[in-house]
Amino acid sequence: MRDCRGRDHATAGPVAVAAIAGTVVTLLLATGCSAPVRPRATAPAPSRTVGTGSTPFRPGASGGTGTGDPAPSGCGHPAPAAVDRVVSFAVDPAAAEGQRTRTALVHVPAGYRPQSPHPVLLVYHGHGGNPAETAAGTGFRDLADRKGFFAVYPQGLPDGPDGPPMWASAGAVDHGIQELPAARSLLDTLAADYCIDAARIYATGISNGGGMANYLACRLADRITAVAPVVGNMYWPKDGGCQPTRAVSILDIHAVDDPVVSYQGSRADPAWMLPAVTDWLAGWAALDHCPTTPAVPVDTAALQVRQWTGCADGSAIVAYRVMGGHRWPPSLVGSPTASVIWDFLAGHRMPASTR
């Protein structure tokens, strides 16, 4: 178990408290930030500078060292002989605890065709986890074979000297690790080696990895199409706040009885305040220009489902409030959790205007 600064909750993160007053949601982006992001009536045109607060943001200008230029295409390259491969990608040693490369386990889907672009799902392990365990425990490997997508399991860096693997998903506040340029480098490497569909790149993860999925939605929306965090702690990034360059579709799964990442949030540490899941969702609904009140098609003691539709650019938010504690639930509404996640994510494509 980790504390609310991310020592198993998910990741480190800034003060981020969503306050709801009437129908207006004010979302604080970072500690000491007085300029909130407010709901906008309509989605801004992709070519314009958008956002409120002291620092505007532009599509394609999210954090990281990537240039935003398309990576060399791997389409047409011979199909790999191995189904599961460990892929290395370059990183800056100063941003990766001295390492020059990082790794990810890549599952190439059965029947992979190098001439046809395939979707990618990044699956982030929890604190102390690893790609092999995550691949075995989430069920995406077999699903990838049936649905024809790459299941990619990145490896986190140590949480300090000799510490367990983790994700610094709130910016370079944990050991100087920078996850955004690493994620860009991984995606560039995949695009160079395989035939990848840049309009269908998704992310999910559990606990610390769920926080990582949220971080990518906040800060790498020019590359990540939609995300699905599972029992993650959703701190808002310290490296500029949660400023997505476009509306991002989100499926969230969280247990109301989670003893590690409280559904109600935590204010125990003023420097690392964890927003309640309901406030975090309300903040994202504002960022995605969704209707204020979600539909609630299922509402029982064991399961509640809330849906925000009609959001900007065809985006949507779906939230599953479940029972079962801090774990990857085996199923949702009678289907395997991996299938529910994939069906939601696969229904969204990156708008052509943002690529």
Side-chain angles (χ1 to χ4, degrees), residues 43-50 57-61 245-246 313 351-355:
S47 61
R48 296 203 302 263
T49 299
V50 293
F57 56 94
R58 300 178 185 273
T245 56
R246 58 175 183 82
D313 299 328
S353 58
T354 63
R355 286 183 267 140

Side-chain angles (χ1 to χ4, degrees), residues 153 187 235 241:
Y153 307 87
L187 293 176
Y235 295 108

Side-chain angles (χ1 to χ4, degrees), residues 40 44-46 48 50 57-63 184 217-224 242-248 284 313 350 354:
R40 297 183 289 265
R48 296 203 302 263
V50 293
F57 56 94
R58 300 178 185 273
S62 57
R184 287 188 182 277
C218 283
R219 304 288 290 144
L220 210 65
D222 62 321
R223 301 293 294 271
I224 302 297
C242 187
Q243 301 196 50
T245 56
R246 58 175 183 82
V248 180
W284 263 111
D313 299 328
M350 183 83 72
T354 63

Side-chain angles (χ1 to χ4, degrees), residues 289-320:
H289 319 295
C290 301
T292 303
T293 303
V296 186
V298 180
D299 193 3
T300 69
L303 173 66
Q304 181 191 72
V305 181
R306 283 173 290 166
Q307 300 174 340
W308 287 260
T309 57
C311 309
D313 299 328
S315 62
I317 299 173
V318 177
Y320 287 84

Side-chain angles (χ1 to χ4, degrees), residues 84-108:
D84 288 323
R85 312 178 70 201
V86 175
V87 173
S88 297
F89 52 95
V91 291
D92 179 356
E97 297 184 306
Q99 299 189 33
R100 296 185 178 277
T101 60
R102 295 181 63 172
T103 63
L105 175 65
V106 176
H107 178 76
V108 181

Side-chain angles (χ1 to χ4, degrees), residues 63-337:
T65 59
T67 63
D69 297 330
S73 175
C75 294
H77 290 187
V83 173
D84 288 323
R85 312 178 70 201
V86 175
V87 173
S88 297
F89 52 95
V91 291
D92 179 356
E97 297 184 306
Q99 299 189 33
R100 296 185 178 277
T101 60
R102 295 181 63 172
T103 63
L105 175 65
V106 176
H107 178 76
V108 181
Y112 167 64
R113 299 183 303 279
Q115 293 76 27
S116 178
H118 290 61
V120 172
L121 176 62
L122 304 177
V123 187
Y124 288 89
H125 62 71
H127 182 268
N130 62 63
E133 291 175 353
T134 304
T138 56
F140 286 116
R141 181 190 279 118
D142 292 341
L143 187 63
D145 288 339
R146 298 197 302 271
K147 299 292 186 178
F149 64 89
F150 282 83
V152 179
Y153 307 87
Q155 174 65 64
L157 291 174
D159 189 356
D162 301 319
M166 52 84 71
W167 302 104
S169 66
V173 293
D174 286 314
H175 321 299
I177 299 170
Q178 296 184 29
E179 301 289 4
L180 296 180
R184 287 188 182 277
S185 181
L186 171 58
L187 293 176
D188 289 345
T189 299
L190 294 173
D193 291 345
Y194 305 105
C195 196
I196 299 303
D197 188 344
R200 295 184 293 167
I201 297 177
Y202 312 104
T204 186
I206 180 170
S207 189
N208 186 199
M212 185 65 193
N214 180 62
Y215 184 43
L216 295 179
C218 283
R219 304 288 290 144
L220 210 65
D222 62 321
R223 301 293 294 271
I224 302 297
T225 304
V227 302
V230 179
V231 295
N233 62 348
M234 304 314 177
Y235 295 108
W236 299 88
K238 290 197 172 200
D239 57 348
C242 187
Q243 301 196 50
T245 56
R246 58 175 183 82
V248 180
S249 293
I250 295 174
L251 182 147
D252 179 64
I253 301 168
H254 210 111
V256 71
D257 60 343
D258 189 334
V260 178
V261 183
S262 172
Y263 192 90
Q264 292 74 31
S266 174
R267 302 189 179 206
D269 185 342
W272 300 94
M273 292 172 65
L274 178 70
V277 173
T278 52
D279 291 346
W280 174 82
L281 290 166
W284 263 111
L287 290 171
D288 283 355
H289 319 295
C290 301
T292 303
T293 303
V296 186
V298 180
D299 193 3
T300 69
L303 173 66
Q304 181 191 72
V305 181
R306 283 173 290 166
Q307 300 174 340
W308 287 260
T309 57
C311 309
D313 299 328
S315 62
I317 299 173
V318 177
Y320 287 84
R321 190 195 70 193
V322 300
M323 297 289 291
H326 192 72
R327 64 168 184 161
W328 184 277
S331 64
L332 293 169
V333 292
S335 297
T337 296

